[in-house]
Amino acid sequence: MKVLEQIRARALLPVAEEARACKAAGGRPVAVLCGLVPPEVVRAAGGQPIRLRSTGHGSTDRGATYFAPTHCSLVRRVFDMALREELAGFDAVLFATGCDHSRRMYDAWRHADAQPALRHLVVVSSDSTQSAVVTFERELDRLAGALRKAWGVEVTDAKLWDSIKLYNRQRELLEAVYRERAHPECPLTGVDVLSLDLVLATVKVEEGLLLLEELLRELPGARRAPPPGELRLLLASGHFEEPARMEVLERHGGRVVQDLMCTGSGFFHGRVAEAPAPLLALAERGLRRLSCPHASDELGRRARFIGDGVREWGCDGVVLDRLSFCAIWAAEAFVLRRRLKELGVPVLEVEGELGGSGEGQLRTRLEAFAEQIRNRAGAPPPPAASDGPPPRRLSRP
């Protein structure tokens, strides 16, 4: 499908290149580190939210001057990009208190006086009580006020509702794509959908809608029978930005047909409700949608989501993939692994760093996991296939 070729190529572009293209078109590129920052507010202020990732950047030398090797590799790589002025083309950078490493980077960014100079931290509660929602609404009003003051724009309710309607539509279409993946004949791979998620977190929402509409038009005519013996997996992960790693997961484990990730199902889960106050509606959705491990009190809800996904998408097993030194995901995986085993769901936990090496180790663990699943089910192995080119440096081991 031509649209998938376009999406895959776009997902490999560095965010700095996306920012330059946005500015060349007269836009205001805004770097966003965490999905807890609502893109609707940024768009209502005239900005284009672009989710930060380290695509195309291989160094942490300068980032290591502020962050130890025991810090998250995403933070070290992104801050390295900032110190090398690769992110200077952005008009603003937004952070959230989703984790301590993200919070620490906000402090380091200000201390180093890295560009862009407009930096803002959104404080987000780890629970979803009504008082937390009201507090988050005030935080979003602070964000709107900071953009209003810096850019001399008005962030009106009408602009917010316009943005909300567009992003709700994008979530609706992305959910429809995910529903297609429940069909065994769906041609979409995990690499395809990861690439789509990365692109939607980067481009203007209007452009994202066009891509989704075209993809949904092409999918029915592209269905095909799945390869014999192919396993179906659910992937639960935090920050996942590397299609090459997803390719290894699928080549040696099974097709990823569902996920729990903040740029995937976590993005489209829950719509912003129509309410008199748009910022309050955004705050409610932000704290009460399917959350990341930042909200530790909702771990049971996430476990149920995974269990439902295994059943509804016909998954044979679950892969928990996390960045090394991510404390909140380490705690999350510890509990999820035990709960899934209690349900009789095969589960594999892997970890590593962005841009690391170790395809061989990852491949071995995935192949052993796939063999374990087939032995339990009494299923034959898939036909032998070429391993393709020799192992290369890629994502986390």
Side-chain angles (χ1 to χ4, degrees):
M1 292 186 287
K2 290 184 179 180
V3 65
L4 283 180
E5 295 176 8
Q6 178 185 354
I7 289 169
R8 282 197 182 208
R10 188 72 178 268
L12 298 178
L13 293 179
V15 292
E17 188 171 332
E18 294 283 4
R20 286 193 293 270
C22 175
K23 274 204 163 182
R28 289 184 179 276
V30 177
V32 180
L33 182 65
C34 178
L36 291 169
V37 178
E40 293 91 340
V41 178
V42 178
R43 183 188 177 278
Q48 178 182 326
I50 297 177
R51 185 70 177 266
L52 279 174
R53 47 188 165 88
S54 62
T55 304
H57 187 81
S59 172
T60 60
D61 293 347
R62 297 191 186 182
T65 60
Y66 279 78
F67 295 98
T70 51
H71 282 97
C72 158
S73 55
L74 172 66
V75 168
R76 286 186 280 122
R77 288 164 73 95
V78 168
F79 196 63
D80 190 272
M81 294 163 65
L83 293 181
R84 295 175 187 275
E85 299 187 350
E86 294 180 18
L87 304 178
F90 285 92
D91 283 16
V93 58
L94 307 180
F95 305 86
T97 55
C99 69
D100 289 341
H101 293 183
S102 173
R103 173 68 176 82
R104 172 77 176 108
M105 183 154 69
Y106 170 69
D107 293 334
W109 208 293
R110 292 190 301 165
H111 183 272
D113 197 25
Q115 295 299 310
L118 177 55
R119 318 154 195 127
H120 188 87
L121 176 70
V122 178
V123 178
V124 186
S125 173
S126 61
D127 62 50
S128 56
T129 63
Q130 190 56 37
S131 61
V133 169
V134 172
T135 300
F136 191 30
E137 179 191 16
R138 289 198 294 266
E139 280 297 307
L140 297 183
D141 188 56
R142 285 184 59 246
L143 170 60
L147 298 177
R148 182 186 303 115
K149 180 179 179 181
W151 296 342
V153 297
E154 290 299 322
V155 184
T156 63
D157 285 0
K159 291 180 179 179
L160 285 166
W161 280 123
D162 180 60
S163 293
I164 287 170
K165 290 176 182 177
L166 287 171
Y167 278 101
N168 270 349
R169 176 60 176 162
Q170 186 177 87
R171 294 180 182 109
E172 178 185 344
L173 295 179
L174 183 57
E175 184 173 12
V177 171
Y178 270 63
R179 284 291 172 189
E180 282 286 327
R181 302 169 78 193
H183 301 292
E185 301 83 8
C186 179
L188 293 175
T189 65
V191 174
D192 294 330
V193 177
L194 172 62
S195 299
L196 175 63
D197 292 338
L198 295 175
V199 170
L200 294 179
T202 302
V203 303
K204 294 176 65 173
V205 62
E206 295 89 347
E207 184 179 351
L209 287 173
L210 293 176
L211 288 173
L212 286 166
E213 290 168 353
E214 184 177 354
L215 179 60
L216 286 168
R217 280 195 301 268
E218 293 187 9
L219 277 177
R223 290 184 177 177
R224 48 86 184 127
E230 180 181 68
L231 298 179
R232 296 169 64 84
L233 301 176
L234 186 150
L235 173 66
S237 183
H239 181 86
F240 198 112
E241 66 172 47
E242 296 171 308
R245 183 173 180 84
M246 181 70 80
E247 183 181 350
V248 174
L249 288 176
E250 296 197 295
R251 187 193 312 159
H252 301 287
R255 182 182 294 257
V256 175
V257 297
Q258 173 61 308
D259 67 56
L260 173 58
M261 297 192 296
C262 62
T263 53
S265 59
F267 170 74
F268 66 71
H269 186 273
R271 310 289 188 268
V272 181
E274 293 188 12
L279 289 179
L280 179 60
L282 286 168
E284 288 181 338
R285 191 262 171 184
L287 293 184
R288 291 174 177 168
R289 65 180 174 91
L290 186 67
S291 64
C292 70
H294 164 73
S296 58
D297 60 336
E298 294 205 355
L299 189 151
R301 187 183 180 193
R302 293 189 290 274
R304 288 192 298 275
F305 177 86
I306 293 175
D308 291 344
V310 168
R311 184 180 67 257
E312 295 176 21
W313 272 258
C315 297
D316 300 293
V318 174
V319 175
L320 306 176
D321 190 359
R322 62 183 177 85
L323 287 171
S324 297
F325 309 114
C326 179
I328 58 175
W329 258 102
E332 179 90 352
F334 179 83
V335 179
L336 285 178
R337 187 173 64 250
R338 282 153 180 77
R339 292 198 181 185
L340 290 169
K341 286 184 176 180
E342 289 172 2
L343 295 174
V345 176
V347 57
L348 172 68
E349 182 182 354
V350 294
E351 67 165 289
E353 298 197 338
L354 292 171
S357 60
E359 179 180 336
Q361 179 184 358
L362 178 60
R363 179 176 58 192
T364 300
R365 296 197 63 193
L366 288 166
E367 289 174 347
F369 182 55
E371 182 178 0
Q372 170 198 346
I373 294 174
R374 292 192 176 95
N375 288 341
R376 287 181 49 162
S386 170
D387 284 339
R392 60 191 183 283
R393 288 187 60 86
L394 45 67
S395 57
R396 315 187 290 280

